[in-house]
Amino acid sequence: MKINQFATVKNEFKTELRELINSHFVANESVLEKSPMVVLKSLLQRCYPEMPSVNGADFKIDQLMATENLTATQLLKNEHALTVTQFYNLALQLLQFEVGVDFNLSDPISALNEINLPHLTVADFTTQDLLHAWYLLLTTHTKNGQSFLDHLATKGYFAKLLQTTQLPKPFLFNGKAQAVFDTNNLIREVVYVESDQDTDHDGQLDLLKVEILRPEETETGLKVPTLYTASPYNQGTNDEAGEKLTHNVDVPLTEKPVISPTLTDLQASEAKPATLPAKRDVKGNASHAEQSFSRESSYTLNDYFLARGFAVVYAAGIGTMESDGFRTTGDPEETTSTVAVIEWLAGNRQAFTNKKDHIGIEAWWSSHHVAITGRSYLGTLAIAAATSGVEGLDTIISEAAISSWYDYYRENGLVIAPGGFQGEDADVLAEETFSREKQAADYLPIKPAWQAALSQMGQEQDRSTGNYNSFWDDRNYRKQLASIKADILMVHGLNDWNVKPKNVWKMWQGLKDLPVTQKIILHQGQHIYINNFQSLDYTDMVNLWLCNKLLGVQNNADEILPDVLVQDNTKVETWNAYQDWGGSAAPIELNLSADKLTSDAAPSAISTFTDQLSEPNFTHYKSHYANWRHDLVSTDSTPMAANRLIFKTDPLTKEVVLGGGATVSLRVASSQSVGMLSFRLIDYGVAKRLSVSPQLLSRNALDEGYHWREDDLKEFQLASATPYKLISIGHLNLQNQKNSYQTEKLVPNQFVDVSIDLQPTVFRVQPGHQIGLVVYATDMEMTVRGNQDIQYQLDLSGCHLTLPLQEK
Amino acid sequence: MKINQFATVKNEFKTELRELINSHFVANESVLEKSPMVVLKSLLQRCYPEMPSVNGADFKIDQLMATENLTATQLLKNEHALTVTQFYNLALQLLQFEVGVDFNLSDPISALNEINLPHLTVADFTTQDLLHAWYLLLTTHTKNGQSFLDHLATKGYFAKLLQTTQLPKPFLFNGKAQAVFDTNNLIREVVYVESDQDTDHDGQLDLLKVEILRPEETETGLKVPTLYTASPYNQGTNDEAGEKLTHNVDVPLTEKPVISPTLTDLQASEAKPATLPAKRDVKGNASHAEQSFSRESSYTLNDYFLARGFAVVYAAGIGTMESDGFRTTGDPEETTSTVAVIEWLAGNRQAFTNKKDHIGIEAWWSSHHVAITGRSYLGTLAIAAATSGVEGLDTIISEAAISSWYDYYRENGLVIAPGGFQGEDADVLAEETFSREKQAADYLPIKPAWQAALSQMGQEQDRSTGNYNSFWDDRNYRKQLASIKADILMVHGLNDWNVKPKNVWKMWQGLKDLPVTQKIILHQGQHIYINNFQSLDYTDMVNLWLCNKLLGVQNNADEILPDVLVQDNTKVETWNAYQDWGGSAAPIELNLSADKLTSDAAPSAISTFTDQLSEPNFTHYKSHYANWRHDLVSTDSTPMAANRLIFKTDPLTKEVVLGGGATVSLRVASSQSVGMLSFRLIDYGVAKRLSVSPQLLSRNALDEGYHWREDDLKEFQLASATPYKLISIGHLNLQNQKNSYQTEKLVPNQFVDVSIDLQPTVFRVQPGHQIGLVVYATDMEMTVRGNQDIQYQLDLSGCHLTLPLQEK
């Protein structure tokens, strides 16, 4: 087992001692005059706040061993020196590691090194050593994914202390906010923010429902920062209606007209109507809401911060249940609605207590410092809001976020489904999230207008060409990167084929020269949250980051947190820090030759494959993607053998660490006037690899506070050995030889040169493995599937592959 | 969608009105003098307790439609008649069903019928009709798996009421306890019960740790009943040590000596030592515990009852962390330790506040009425405790429980692994659950004695013969069925190949003539809990049952709850009630003929198969059970084709409903002096069948109280079509021709007659399908796997299959 902590602040002893005193582990500085053993006893007795009596704590202490022959109780009775072995034997047990399973009493230091836990190396402890070691211990993670101090808090450490003592709120320890707020007494309110838009064209500015949870302490004057999650899903989804609208993908690829617009042509986006409805008159003001809710659709990371003195607000935006407006899937109107909530939280926008009485309500409890959190569409709206440069938005944490919707639903002139959602498109998602539909009295009057809007979106998204057009240009947040003022923490899965890694790669590249701090964490998962892993202190990292950005705590978050943190794909529980993603100067250049990837000169040879599949294979693959995926890349004889070309390197003699996106350049001909190519970069080699999804280690093991909401502890584990692993993918319409918005005529059997950047990654290919490139046409999971009779030829003299490397 | 409710009490209107008054939906009987519309408005306003204002409730009401053209707000404004359509349109929306998705405003009654929700049929409502309908509505399930009243409670209905009003506690509605207890203020205590046993032979009676959660109201005099879960897992498990001890199953089946003991011979079980250590002197008494805990390992069903005025206790028993003793896996010592906790709860046994000071503590808050709950080993200990006849144990709810450990780890003279746990045995489970190992100071002194006890268990369980012996006889609870005084609710999965259905079938049969009430629920799952299904009001059923058994509420639970409730295997969301399991007089008798199951006369013919598999198939199957299972029963050509015989009926002309256990009689010869047979009864026929596991419908949708712990809503759904489905299994050692404890010599190639009962079931085989019997030897998942070179011959003239049917 290995635990990786990146959010620990290194302090001087003076600071450590002050924090130990403030958190009541020791009474005052006179503790330094006591013997280590006396101090240790009093520290250990504080480790069982769940016990109503000192007797109870002593019973727990009595279960601990200090050495192979000495119990903790026996140790504490004598006045001998405290050795490093004795202390760390006890410390490991406190951290929930087991004797004989996780470590041996004869040598706790080896275990600390192996698990990667910080520790002192002195032989005998002075009292100051002990206090320093105790401070480190409080910031060290237990076996169950929490810092030891968080673990104590979930057992009631602060709750018990607060029965007799005042603590400053928020309460900081090691630069991070601690769980001192009582989540039983949270205040839950609903307000309606008035936005400068009328997306349902009803002649009234859209009102947007906002659900607020804030600490009770705000009622007595505490101003708190806010974590805002903008989730179009959180008022419910129209799954059946969405499914009905899902597009048929069993259609042929069709020839596109030749067009050559410029990017400027596409930017002639529909402006907002010049005259908006007037703002509502304010007919009175209320200090408290008249509406509330019982259970919000929550994010456990937000729950964690509710116990630590942050307010949390959820808003679903235009077109969702109990808000006004229509869903627009990523356009500027949606951004406007997302930003309106921040403006209210920053004191710059009007909100009302309900939708009809015009009674105003302010976020008087807000410190005007806001962060956005969330994954997928939620993280996407974080990016959207950031590109507005709105005042009050100090940081965003965007996880698995879309940075341009073209990169979500399209690629190089092809309609490309997000992994797992074949046939979905912008209109489907709009319908899915249009939760006003769930309330009949609200929906029925606007149904015709909504259906018309939906139909228009269906046309503008233009599935017939798959080209980048003004609809998609409107939904490209990266055009406004220069407006961003918020610092950004990005998280993305290197195996996320839903929101593909290109979305975050282009953010990373685009932000480099801007005056904001950016950090990125790349994990080996798919489209997941990572705040419940055993091996990484992600939650602590976010805590450090938010205390710095929202509370102004001088904790050096920018310096302490690594710029680029990447989960290793070859080893469990391993996270590597880098200064940049990719960034190595000399890529590997390879040519395609027969079935090889080689540095030899490109041969004059033609390789061919056909796209069409016979039955029952075609029909079978349509509903058995795993079989299709296997048969596509397996070098065994499969029904797909004639339907793709596979090129492989020789077995590698040393490890290669890919970093960034591979580029494939091809000279290719299609037998028809249409054509598409798909690519898979594969790591061939039998190996045990990380499980596809993190595995459940312990249900409900993570209490986000004290008797508060819980999360499961998870971790990627090694799965059974597999013969290969997907590294990256890419897709291209052969009519889009220059870019995604201009098209060319494709002459049957005439060669054209194309080039495509595959999805970026960081990937270690082990010695003995082979890197493979699979070239094919129809992607059962992502492209249209007309099963057309098309033959493709590659002129290998014009084919090569560039593999960029990750800097050390 | 279909919702099945079995726990609704039918009351007279007088009772309904009284309960509506008691629960403050109406003020008093004068409500009958008001118009339906006035009453309806006031009822609707009570449906949004989460709203801090009437305005807020009115806003919610304003989202509802009463008819296609009339909103609820408009309806309430007029003084016209209230129609059945108007009422049920509103009711369905209150129950979270969606207009246009789940029902149409033009015809709510069709939807009510389809979803199977109770309703009135009058045209216009009188006020009395309305109140009756409202009462029904409160007991009706929402779309999200809770009664409407429970749904209101999770939104704060009772919490809000209690701010201004006293309610009787416990509070009953429709014969069931309601969520009126504040779970934020639960009292958590630990006590140590002194048991009459010394299983670790340390010269002291074993002390057993008990974790208690009880309502704060007990502090002011309320006596409460207790739900007790005895879970050997809940103090942690030794997974690595258990894995190390797991037995190698890649060993040959070996010849057993011929023995003929009688059952009486086997019952010479080791008696307890005549002289036990003395009871501890009581040196004082405490009213409150000195130890507590922060988070117990809980069962959500228990959490639900904590909000309803029941205490919950968890105890892990002998040999678990912070208790004394050794684990014994199912023997009478374990039963004694399980029962000791009940004796303390019933006021008949001593407990202490800690393990050393001899300070006594009573369960003074206990009403002396106890039920046991839990699944698997937990449910097993419920059966164990019930067979003691202990005073105070009024009922057990045993889910997926073992009734004889021989039926868990052995079958007909073979070592048979529980599904999913190849190589596990009684000793492995003892080691897994011996959580004293987790605390070094407790474990190290007793380690040698424990290892010796474990080694002895390893011998006594006797993997070499697989015979029923005194070790297993000690672990057969069914010998003591006559002692049972508790009423029993049993739950079991018909696809549970871990704890196989024979365990519950034999309980059901064995209890029939005893003076206790028994009920059984058979679901289509594997080894799962069923208290979070959308389609079944299981939690309500348990509520009705426990109020009757523990609180003495006269709610007719025995009459209302069906005796036998079976989930249909052919349709989603369908539960069928019967009076008995099996029970039909005339079974189907079939002979085996070539590859057929037929009612024709048995032919004189020999069919043969071999057990040995070639490589790489054998090795592959050992780690790919799904492939093995498929190749075994598929009638396509597979690598298993020569390794089994398949006999099939002609396609059925009408549905057959199997009920109970099929019997296979065979005349068989082995080519060696050892032999085993395995059987699978298969439903052949392409069909969409229920998913193997229930699917997640909505995360955290079930709040067990008000801002309390949550559970996910789940349901079995139809999966992709499959060509067959396993109905039942069975295994037999050919040396055990009479029974599981006597053995015969097996002469190579000499035919013997054997008979075996397969696992019992209730299974609908659809018209057009074929019933198949697969006969083979090695079961990769359950038997030893020596891959021996053995040929088997069946003399079909002596082979037949009896299929018992389920009564209508």
Side-chain angles (χ1 to χ4, degrees), chain A residues 50 53 55 59-60 63 65 98 184 188 192 290-292 294-295 322 438-441 707 710, chain B residues 50 53 55 59-60 62-63 65 98 184 188 192 290 292 294-295 322 438-441 707 710:
Chain A
E50 74 274 25
S53 70
N55 257 0
F59 166 73
K60 287 287 187 181
Q63 312 303 311
M65 292 300 282
E98 279 180 48
N184 285 334
R188 291 171 167 84
Y192 296 87
E290 71 171 38
Q291 296 187 17
S292 183
S294 60
R295 181 63 163 106
E322 296 175 359
K438 299 193 158 293
Q439 286 186 328
H707 290 166
E710 298 167 330
Chain B
E50 73 275 25
S53 69
N55 256 0
F59 166 73
K60 287 287 188 180
D62 198 36
Q63 313 302 313
M65 292 300 282
E98 280 181 49
N184 284 333
R188 292 169 166 85
Y192 295 87
E290 72 171 37
S292 183
S294 60
R295 180 63 163 104
E322 295 176 358
K438 299 191 159 295
Q439 287 186 327
H707 289 167
E710 299 168 330

Side-chain angles (χ1 to χ4, degrees), chain B residues 302-491:
Chain B
N302 291 342
D303 292 338
Y304 171 92
F305 283 103
L306 278 170
R308 285 155 179 84
F310 293 70
V312 171
V313 311
Y314 294 91
I318 41 174
T320 60
M321 190 165 76
E322 295 176 358
S323 290
D324 297 333
F326 284 167
R327 301 294 310 148
T328 59
T329 310
D331 82 340
E333 292 281 17
E334 186 180 64
T335 302
T336 299
S337 88
T338 307
V339 167
V341 175
I342 302 167
E343 291 167 331
W344 178 69
L345 290 167
N348 300 320
R349 180 165 288 283
Q350 185 67 50
F352 296 100
T353 57
N354 65 36
K355 293 175 83 169
K356 63 178 174 41
D357 293 332
H358 296 215
I359 306 298
I361 183 164
E362 286 180 30
W364 48 262
W365 45 265
S366 163
S367 71
H368 296 183
H369 291 285
V370 181
I372 311 196
T373 61
R375 179 184 56 97
S376 194
Y377 204 159
L378 293 56
T380 304
L381 294 181
I383 291 178
T387 59
S388 76
V390 60
E391 187 184 329
L393 183 63
D394 298 315
T395 182
I396 67 167
I397 301 171
S398 57
E399 309 189 52
I402 296 164
S403 63
S404 170
W405 287 81
Y406 190 84
D407 290 340
Y408 188 61
Y409 284 125
R410 303 286 184 271
E411 187 181 358
N412 298 315
L414 285 177
V415 172
I416 293 294
F421 299 92
Q422 185 55 294
E424 191 183 297
D425 213 327
D427 58 344
V428 178
L429 188 58
E431 174 62 33
E432 278 268 353
T433 55
F434 185 64
S435 46
R436 289 183 73 179
E437 206 161 317
K438 299 191 159 295
Q439 287 186 327
D442 184 39
Y443 175 55
L444 296 181
I446 57 168
K447 186 172 171 180
W450 167 245
Q451 291 298 333
L454 205 53
S455 166
Q456 188 183 345
M457 194 185 294
Q459 285 180 21
E460 291 176 356
Q461 69 194 4
D462 184 17
R463 288 180 71 84
S464 66
T465 73
N467 284 346
Y468 187 86
N469 61 15
S470 62
F471 178 88
W472 298 108
D473 193 65
D474 259 0
R475 288 159 174 81
N476 180 356
Y477 306 117
R478 295 194 299 259
K479 292 186 303 176
Q480 275 90 39
L481 289 190
S483 306
I484 291 181
K485 294 183 191 135
D487 290 338
I488 300 195
L489 171 57
M490 290 170 273
V491 178

Side-chain angles (χ1 to χ4, degrees), chain A residues 505 508-509 512 564 578 580-585 658-661 761-762 804-808:
Chain A
W505 166 264
W508 179 258
Q509 298 300 334
K512 273 188 177 171
V564 177
Y578 300 98
D580 196 4
W581 181 2
S584 179
L658 306 178
T761 188
V762 178
L805 300 180
Q806 174 62 33
E807 59 145 32
K808 294 276 187 289

Side-chain angles (χ1 to χ4, degrees), chain B residues 23-270:
Chain B
S23 52
H24 295 256
F25 282 98
V26 298
N28 51 49
E29 294 189 7
S30 72
V31 65
L32 287 168
E33 294 154 27
K34 298 181 183 167
S35 77
M37 215 56 88
V38 166
V39 176
L40 177 63
K41 179 170 184 175
S42 123
L43 290 172
L44 288 175
Q45 285 178 334
R46 283 170 164 76
C47 293
Y48 303 97
E50 73 275 25
M51 286 292 176
S53 69
V54 176
N55 256 0
D58 285 345
F59 166 73
K60 287 287 188 180
I61 293 168
D62 198 36
Q63 313 302 313
L64 306 175
M65 292 300 282
T67 69
E68 288 168 291
N69 308 307
L70 202 62
T71 69
T73 309
Q74 291 164 339
L75 174 79
L76 295 174
K77 275 191 186 136
N78 72 42
E79 268 295 318
H80 295 154
L82 174 64
T83 70
V84 69
T85 299
Q86 290 164 349
F87 178 80
Y88 282 110
N89 276 332
L90 297 173
L92 280 166
Q93 290 167 81
L94 292 176
L95 293 173
Q96 304 175 282
F97 294 98
E98 280 181 49
V99 174
V101 176
D102 300 304
F103 73 104
N104 292 317
L105 291 166
S106 59
D107 183 13
I109 305 299
S110 295
L112 290 163
N113 288 330
E114 194 187 317
I115 305 170
N116 195 30
L117 303 179
H119 57 89
L120 272 64
T121 49
V122 296
D124 289 348
F125 273 27
T126 63
T127 297
Q128 178 164 338
D129 291 335
L130 171 62
L131 293 171
H132 174 48
W134 193 260
Y135 182 88
L136 275 186
L137 179 66
L138 290 169
T139 66
T140 299
H141 266 221
T142 71
K143 194 175 175 181
N144 285 320
Q146 289 179 311
S147 76
F148 186 54
L149 183 53
D150 272 350
H151 171 69
L152 294 181
T154 68
K155 296 202 298 173
Y157 182 83
F158 290 115
K160 193 171 194 172
L161 207 52
L162 284 161
Q163 287 170 6
T164 56
T165 317
Q166 292 275 346
L167 289 177
K169 293 185 179 181
F171 184 80
L172 293 159
F173 190 92
N174 196 247
K176 295 175 283 291
Q178 303 302 319
V180 300
F181 289 82
D182 184 352
T183 47
N184 284 333
N185 296 320
L186 291 171
I187 292 163
R188 292 169 166 85
E189 294 182 312
V190 169
V191 303
Y192 295 87
V193 170
E194 187 185 52
S195 186
D196 284 335
Q197 59 193 149
D198 177 19
T199 57
D200 50 13
H201 311 292
D202 68 347
Q204 292 200 296
L205 291 179
D206 291 346
L207 288 175
L208 303 168
K209 178 186 179 185
V210 180
E211 294 175 340
I212 301 154
L213 300 102
R214 58 182 169 89
E216 191 185 29
E217 287 79 352
T218 52
E219 289 290 312
T220 48
L222 184 66
K223 307 282 186 202
V224 296
T226 301
L227 306 189
Y228 164 32
T229 296
S231 165
Y233 306 117
N234 80 18
Q235 301 291 310
T237 51
N238 305 313
D239 298 347
E240 289 183 30
E243 205 175 313
K244 247 182 249 172
L245 202 60
T246 297
H247 299 274
N248 178 19
V249 296
D250 295 327
V251 296
L253 186 68
T254 53
E255 190 174 335
K256 311 195 245 193
V258 174
I259 55 168
S260 319
T262 65
L263 272 183
T264 317
D265 293 339
L266 305 182
Q267 284 165 9
S269 162
E270 214 180 322

Side-chain angles (χ1 to χ4, degrees), chain B residues 521-539:
Chain B
I521 302 175
L522 298 169
H523 59 81
Q524 292 295 332
Q526 300 180 327
H527 196 59
I528 58 168
Y529 281 115
I530 64 166
N531 65 318
N532 55 1
F533 283 11
Q534 182 184 48
S535 72
L536 182 69
D537 65 339
Y538 175 71
T539 302

